[in-house]
Amino acid sequence: MTIRWFDEATQLLTRRVARGTSRRGFLGGLGTLLVGAGATTLLPVFRGDAFAQSSAALQESGDPNSCEYWRHCAIDGFLCGCCGGTSSSCPPGTVRSDITWIGTCRNPTDGKDYVISYNDCCGKSNCGRCVCQRDQGDTPLYRPQSSNDLNWCSGSQADMPYHCSLSVVIGVKE
C-alpha cells in the first residue's frame, strides 16, 4: 500500500511538471544554463582598474626597464617603459587592453607578494625594445586568465596591433 501511494504521488507530480513546461522551455533553460556555465571561466580575468592600488604607497627598488625588475616575474612582451610609457601607463597613441593576465610577484624590498595585472598596450605596431619573457606562474591556454601567451589586444575595442606590456600592482596577496 505504501508503494502504491508513492507511485501515485510520483505520477501526479510528473504530470503537473509536464503540463507546466514544454520542450522549447526546457531547451531554452538548458541553453541558458550552458551559456552561464561557459561564462564562469571568464570571471577571474581582471577587467579595468576598479581595484588598482596606488603605487605611491609601495616601497620599490630596481630598474623598471629591466627584465629582472620584480613586477615583471610573469611578463611576456616589450616593456612599455622602453617604448615611451612607464611600467604602469601606456605610451601616447596606444590604449590599454580591456582584459589582462594576472600574476603574483614578491617585492624584495618589503618581502610581500603582490597581485600584478599585465596589460597589453594596443594601437601601434610592436615596440621592438626591451623584450622580456618570464614565465613564472604561466599556465597552459586552457586557463587563459593566467597565460601570458595570448595577444590580449584581440579582445579590445577594435582588433588593434600589440605594442608593449604593462605591469600594474592591483593588490597585496593575503
Side-chain angles (χ1 to χ4, degrees):
M1 189 173 235
T2 308
I3 299 292
R4 187 173 182 192
W5 173 84
F6 181 73
D7 286 342
E8 289 174 359
T10 303
Q11 182 181 17
L12 182 66
L13 180 64
T14 304
R15 288 183 188 269
R16 279 190 189 159
V17 169
R19 272 189 235 116
T21 60
S22 66
R23 279 179 279 200
R24 266 190 204 159
F26 174 76
L27 290 175
L30 181 63
T32 302
L33 179 70
L34 291 175
V35 168
T40 59
T41 59
L42 300 175
L43 291 177
V45 176
F46 181 71
R47 297 177 180 272
D49 356 64
F51 304 105
Q53 177 180 345
S54 170
S55 59
L58 285 176
Q59 296 177 359
E60 302 185 82
S61 63
D63 180 12
N65 294 333
S66 164
C67 285
E68 302 308 315
Y69 187 57
W70 73 272
R71 285 191 195 184
H72 304 320
C73 71
I75 201 162
D76 182 5
F78 305 107
L79 301 179
C80 285
C82 297
C83 303
T86 67
S87 62
S88 58
S89 66
C90 288
T94 63
V95 295
R96 183 186 287 196
S97 62
D98 295 330
I99 54 177
T100 72
W101 74 97
I102 294 180
T104 304
C105 301
R106 179 174 292 273
N107 183 349
T109 305
D110 63 9
K112 294 181 182 176
D113 291 327
Y114 289 88
V115 180
I116 309 292
S117 170
Y118 295 101
N119 295 77
D120 286 343
C121 293
C122 315
K124 291 182 177 179
S125 61
N126 285 345
C127 168
R129 292 188 296 264
C130 300
V131 66
C132 291
Q133 177 158 5
R134 297 188 54 198
D135 296 324
Q136 179 180 325
D138 187 27
T139 61
L141 288 179
Y142 59 82
R143 291 208 45 220
Q145 69 273 12
S146 299
S147 176
N148 65 7
D149 293 326
L150 293 175
N151 178 2
W152 294 97
C153 291
S154 323
S156 294
Q157 301 107 0
D159 197 13
M160 296 186 278
Y162 165 79
H163 184 65
C164 61
S165 297
L166 304 174
S167 55
V168 181
V169 175
I170 59 172
V172 180
K173 180 182 173 190
E174 294 184 16

